[in-house]
């Protein structure tokens, strides 16, 4: 694992931690007959290696290779696809209920991290499973870390258990103690069961799980396979829910990762001997860095601005902002839904919250965006990072739905930036909008554009005409604008003059500019790094239809709706025809079709 990841990068520390756990689980249980469900799936490399994928492991996360997460299509041992946290107990309980309805008898085991356990839906599932009392095994892979150090009361609670004595040992010790008291005897001992339970409860914080209906085992050294096997064998014989609390070390077995599990959660390639990360030399800052720097400078000038992350301080760049503003950067844990409603509450009290949540994870908080923000027209700014194709993390992480789910909402303003400076200005616009406003930007580096000293907000609903042209028009959004400009340059070299519009806003659309282009250029090509259905191009179509221009020739370029596997963004974009070459070709095709039909412009 270390050798492979040193060459290609990946979830290094996360996957090194549960190696023994994975071995013990596959030894003790009859997988795939027994259903083993890993939460998130980023920690399951050893599971992959143990289940027939050792030879292909060097292809993990590579284009056409193994997925970095679980994938049912990849192996019968991957029983539930994941990528987002907190789903495993729900899926496991569903399978356990189905098993019993079918009269089957396999085991169902969910493996969830201490981070994943804090997700709202994990709590919901735990709540039902404890009440339901069905045979189900939940293994807690507790390494005290989410990606960053885990936060919250549940994490604090687990910490206290970690420091305590194992629950079952305490119970046994109290039993022995009671027996040894002269005159208590076997009979008395039985009636003293309540006393015993009460004493153990008083001593052991791990009792919460038992109170919630689970039999609790732990804490157990998650690197001690004998201890794990013993408890798994015991758990197999129980006919109610069991929580097995294992303690693992993130990065176990590779010293640099053990020492700094935060930086090593997911890594670039690295030098095995020194543990130094090998980074490609970037010419421009990442959009994430621009977001963080802009947020910090806006927070300096306005003390009402607060920034919220859901367990992604590093991914969102807010870890660079929090040292300066420890009280105004809030990590809520893996709790996107809560993050959004928390922001709404703060905004109503006069603060200016920026919710920094990746496009894919904001999906989980859709109802909160609708119900708790948009319906009340509460001014919350959303910094939607990782918009578009993300690359190696694949279908669970591509941000291809945000235009669709955000542009349909009342009061919501939706923007996407063409470069770093526009991102900074859009953030400023969002914070000052007085309405819910989302700014979408992609993973990766910007274009190397200088950022204005003084940030001027944009006029809401106004696009930017970057190039004139009478042969057609390309209407692009976000990071597709630079590709559109390049396509137009290539076409100009061939004598074809196309206009290029940087739409800036998906909502409200700059209707005036779109209609003017439709009327002068005659044909439009829309471009977005987003699913075609319901996205930006659809918004342009709706605009044309609403203003009596249904006859305008339009071609929409984007990502066809589908489950698109991982791969380098530039390769995937080329496949979908949303790079400069693809855009130029689409314009040529459209013009050629017109000529065949004898249309003159
Ligand atoms: C809904 C959701 N939000 C955020 C993330 C990003 N994320 C990936 S792994 C992770 C930490 C998970 O921590 P834990 O479950 O303890 O697993 P560990 O990596 O420590 O083994 C986070 C926050 C996610 N996958 N899903």
């Amino acid at each position: 694992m270390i050798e492979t990841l040193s060459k290609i990068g990946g979830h290094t520390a996360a996957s090194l931690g549960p190696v023994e756990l994975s071995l013990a689980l596959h030894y003790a249980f009859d997988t795939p007959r027994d259903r083993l469900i890993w939460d998130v799936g980023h920690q399951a490399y050893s599971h992959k290696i143990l289940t027939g994928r050792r030879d292909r492991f060097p292809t993990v996360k590579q284009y056409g290779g193994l997925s970095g997460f679980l994938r049912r299509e990849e192996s019968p041992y991957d029983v539930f696809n994941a990528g987002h946290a907190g789903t495993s107990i729900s899926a496991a309980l569903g399978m356990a209920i189905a098993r019993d309805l079918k009269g089957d008898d396999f085991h169902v085991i969910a493996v969830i991290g201490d981070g994943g356990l804090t997700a709202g839906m994990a709590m919901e599932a735990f709540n039902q499973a404890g009440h339901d009392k069905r045979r189900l095994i939940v293994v807690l892979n507790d390494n005290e870390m989410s990606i960053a150090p885990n936060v919250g009361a549940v994490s604090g609670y687990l910490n206290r258990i970690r420091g305590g004595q194992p629950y079952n040992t305490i119970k046994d010790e109290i039993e022995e103690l009671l027996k040894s008291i002269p005159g208590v005897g076997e009979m008395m001992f039985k009636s003293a069961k309540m006393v015993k339970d009460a004493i153990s409860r008083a001593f052991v914080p791990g009792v919460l799980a038992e109170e919630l209906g689970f039999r609790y085992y732990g804490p157990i050294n998650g690197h001690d396979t004998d201890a794990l096997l013993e408890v798994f064998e015991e758990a197999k014989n129980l006919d109610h829910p069991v929580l097995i609390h294992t303690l693992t070390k993130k990065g176990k077995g590779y010293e640099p990762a053990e020492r700094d599990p935060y930086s090593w959660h997911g890594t670039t390639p690295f030098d095995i001997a020194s543990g130094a990360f090998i980074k490609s030399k970037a010419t421009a800052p990442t959009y994430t860095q621009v977001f963080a720097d802009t947020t910090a400078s806006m927070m300096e000038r306005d003390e009402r601005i607060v920034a919220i992350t859901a367990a992604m301080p590093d991914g969102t760049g807010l870890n660079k902002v929090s040292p300066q503003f420890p009280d105004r950067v809030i990590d809520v844990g893996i709790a996107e839904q809560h993050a959004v409603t928390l922001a709404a509450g703060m905004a109503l009290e006069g603060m200016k919250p920026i919710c920094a949540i990746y496009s894919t994870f904001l999906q989980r908080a859709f109802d909160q965006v609708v119900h708790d923000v948009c319906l009340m027209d509460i001014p919350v700014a959303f910094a939607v990072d990782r918009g578009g194709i993300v690359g190696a993390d694949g279908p669970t992480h591509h941000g291809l739905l945000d235009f669709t789910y955000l542009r349909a909402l009342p009061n919501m303003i939706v923007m996407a930036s063409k470069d770093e400076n526009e991102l900074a200005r859009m953030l400023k616009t969002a914070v000052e909008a007085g309405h819910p406003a989302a700014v979408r930007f992609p993973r990766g580096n910007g274009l190397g554009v200088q950022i204005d000293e003084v940030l001027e907000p944009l006029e809401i609903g106004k696009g930017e005409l970057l190039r004139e042209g009478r042969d057609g028009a390309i209407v692009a959004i976000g990071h597709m604008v630079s590709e559109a400009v390049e396509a137009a340059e290539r076409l100009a070299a061939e004598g074809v003059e196309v206009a290029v519009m940087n739409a800036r806003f998906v909502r409200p659309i700059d209707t005036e500019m779109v209609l003017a282009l439709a009327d002068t250029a005659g044909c439009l090509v829309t471009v977005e790094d987003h699913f075609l259905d319901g996205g930006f191009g659809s918004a342009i179509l709706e605009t044309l239809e609403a203003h009596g221009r249904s006859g305008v020739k339009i071609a929409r370029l984007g990502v066809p709706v589908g489950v698109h596997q991982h791969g380098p963004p530039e390769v995937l974009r080329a496949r979908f025809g949303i790079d400069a070459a693809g855009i130029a070709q689409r314009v040529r095709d459209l013009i050629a079709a017109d000529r065949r039909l004898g249309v003159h412009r």
Side-chain angles (χ1 to χ4, degrees):
M1 209 191 287
I2 294 169
E3 253 180 54
T4 293
L5 298 177
S6 73
K7 292 189 194 100
I8 60 178
H11 285 108
T12 307
S15 260
L16 286 172
V19 169
E20 291 86 356
L21 189 58
S22 190
L23 276 165
L25 283 165
H26 280 290
Y27 189 89
F29 292 97
D30 180 19
T31 56
R33 185 177 177 277
D34 290 339
R35 315 292 198 248
L36 177 58
I37 301 151
W38 295 88
D39 206 77
V40 191
H42 66 305
Q43 76 293 54
Y45 293 168
S46 52
H47 159 86
K48 288 191 177 232
I49 290 170
L50 289 169
T51 53
R53 286 167 277 181
R54 195 176 71 176
D55 293 346
R56 279 185 297 153
F57 188 66
T59 70
V60 73
K61 298 184 93 179
Q62 307 299 293
Y63 189 49
L66 291 179
S67 160
F69 294 91
L70 299 179
R71 215 180 142 216
R72 288 168 54 78
E73 302 82 346
E74 202 176 276
S75 163
Y77 291 88
D78 293 2
V79 292
F80 197 72
N81 293 8
H84 291 197
T87 61
S88 60
I89 306 178
S90 301
L93 180 58
M95 288 176 197
I97 293 174
R99 170 199 63 203
D100 295 347
L101 289 172
K102 293 189 296 185
D104 221 325
D105 66 349
F106 54 81
H107 293 287
V108 185
I109 311 108
V111 185
I112 187 164
D114 53 308
L117 189 68
T118 64
M121 71 174 290
M123 290 287 170
E124 291 169 24
F126 205 78
N127 182 45
Q128 194 203 342
H131 174 73
D132 184 74
K133 297 275 183 292
R134 197 177 301 270
R135 182 160 59 90
L136 171 74
I137 299 171
V138 176
V139 176
L140 175 60
N141 170 26
D142 179 4
N143 54 25
E144 302 177 62
M145 298 287 290
S146 189
I147 291 180
N150 204 0
V151 295
V154 172
S155 168
Y157 172 69
L158 291 175
N159 255 324
R160 288 195 293 282
I161 303 182
R162 228 174 266 127
Q165 211 178 331
Y167 179 51
N168 300 307
T169 335
I170 288 212
K171 271 221 271 206
D172 293 346
E173 279 177 16
I174 292 170
E175 206 169 294
E176 287 310 307
L177 186 77
L178 287 174
K179 274 187 196 161
S180 71
I181 298 172
V184 169
E186 209 42 47
M187 272 279 288
M188 281 285 282
F189 164 74
K190 281 194 182 116
S191 61
K193 181 178 179 309
M194 274 168 56
V195 178
K196 178 187 79 169
D197 283 351
I199 298 174
S200 28
R201 271 163 175 68
F203 277 94
V204 187
V207 84
L208 180 62
E210 297 242 336
E211 296 288 0
L212 292 174
F214 276 72
R215 178 88 158 90
Y216 174 87
Y217 287 91
I220 296 159
N221 178 353
H223 303 295
D224 180 345
T225 41
D226 288 339
L228 290 171
L229 287 175
E230 197 178 311
V231 77
F232 290 158
E233 286 307 327
E234 210 171 319
K236 275 186 189 176
N237 296 321
L238 299 176
D239 61 359
H240 46 80
V242 181
L243 176 70
I244 300 170
H245 182 181
T246 69
L247 303 183
T248 59
K249 194 164 186 41
K250 214 162 171 167
K252 178 78 175 170
Y254 182 54
E255 204 271 332
E258 285 191 23
R259 209 174 342 113
D260 181 10
Y262 187 9
S263 309
W264 282 83
H265 172 87
T267 65
T268 56
F270 53 91
D271 174 59
I272 298 181
S274 66
F277 294 124
I278 302 163
K279 290 201 170 131
S280 55
K281 285 200 177 51
T283 47
T286 62
Y287 285 103
T288 304
Q289 274 168 310
V290 174
F291 159 71
D293 293 347
T294 311
T295 301
S297 79
M298 290 194 300
M299 286 173 91
E300 244 167 49
R301 291 182 179 84
D302 188 342
E303 59 188 24
R304 290 168 300 173
I305 298 177
V306 287
I308 301 165
T309 171
M312 303 295 283
D314 53 342
T316 57
L318 286 176
N319 59 342
K320 302 275 174 353
V321 185
S322 50
Q324 198 183 343
F325 303 104
D327 296 340
R328 290 197 280 143
V329 175
I330 301 168
D331 181 356
V332 298
I334 306 177
E336 290 79 7
Q337 301 168 322
H338 161 61
V340 171
T341 308
L342 178 92
M346 295 187 103
L348 286 181
E349 292 300 328
M351 306 305 286
K352 295 181 176 175
I354 303 176
C355 250
I357 300 179
Y358 287 8
S359 168
T360 188
F361 300 140
L362 189 59
Q363 287 163 200
R364 187 165 279 190
F366 179 59
D367 185 54
Q368 282 69 18
V369 179
V370 180
H371 179 268
D372 300 330
V373 176
C374 288
L375 292 187
M376 288 182 267
D377 195 12
I378 297 177
V380 173
F382 294 93
V384 186
D385 198 340
R386 304 317 196 253
I389 291 163
V390 291
D393 283 339
T396 53
H397 285 59
H398 292 317
L400 294 169
L401 283 162
D402 46 19
F403 291 160
T404 306
Y405 70 73
L406 292 173
R407 81 178 180 89
L409 304 181
N411 299 310
M412 178 61 100
I413 297 162
V414 185
M415 299 169 256
S417 53
K418 75 169 197 285
D419 59 33
E420 299 95 309
N421 194 44
E422 199 165 80
L423 170 58
R425 291 186 67 191
M426 284 181 174
L427 290 166
K428 177 90 172 159
T429 312
V431 168
E432 294 187 357
H435 300 281
V439 184
R440 182 215 212 214
F441 49 99
R443 184 194 179 103
N445 299 95
L447 305 179
V449 165
Q450 197 69 27
I451 296 176
D452 297 344
E453 281 285 309
V454 180
L455 289 177
E456 289 293 335
L458 297 165
E459 188 179 342
I460 290 173
K462 280 279 152 225
E464 181 189 26
L465 191 62
L466 294 172
R467 193 183 174 104
E468 312 247 2
R470 61 192 151 64
D471 296 325
I474 306 171
V475 184
I477 186 77
H479 52 286
M480 289 295 97
V481 171
S482 55
E483 299 290 335
V485 170
E486 197 185 320
E489 281 162 5
R490 289 188 193 188
L491 290 165
E494 299 163 16
V496 177
E497 287 298 335
V498 291
V500 177
M501 171 180 171
N502 166 22
R504 284 183 172 162
F505 292 82
V506 175
R507 188 198 166 92
I509 290 275
D510 185 343
T511 307
E512 206 182 317
M513 192 178 287
V514 170
L515 297 184
L517 284 175
D519 292 343
T520 54
C523 72
L524 301 181
V525 174
T526 64
V527 196
E528 61 196 304
D529 184 357
H530 188 278
F531 276 151
L532 279 168
D533 296 25
F536 169 70
S538 301
I540 299 291
L541 265 180
E542 290 162 21
T543 307
L544 294 173
E545 184 269 342
H547 293 83
R549 308 295 204 287
S550 302
V552 172
K553 180 149 239 166
I554 178 164
R556 290 176 301 126
L557 291 182
V559 181
V561 172
V563 183
H564 301 300
Q565 297 308 320
H566 55 284
E570 60 283 5
V571 173
L572 295 180
R573 284 179 198 144
R575 201 169 91 198
F576 301 128
I578 53 172
D579 59 353
I583 299 167
Q585 192 50 45
R586 195 74 186 89
V587 174
R588 281 185 208 109
D589 292 346
L590 210 62
I591 291 173
D594 266 4
R595 287 206 181 118
R596 276 197 300 278
L597 293 172
V599 178
H600 298 290
R601 276 197 285 273

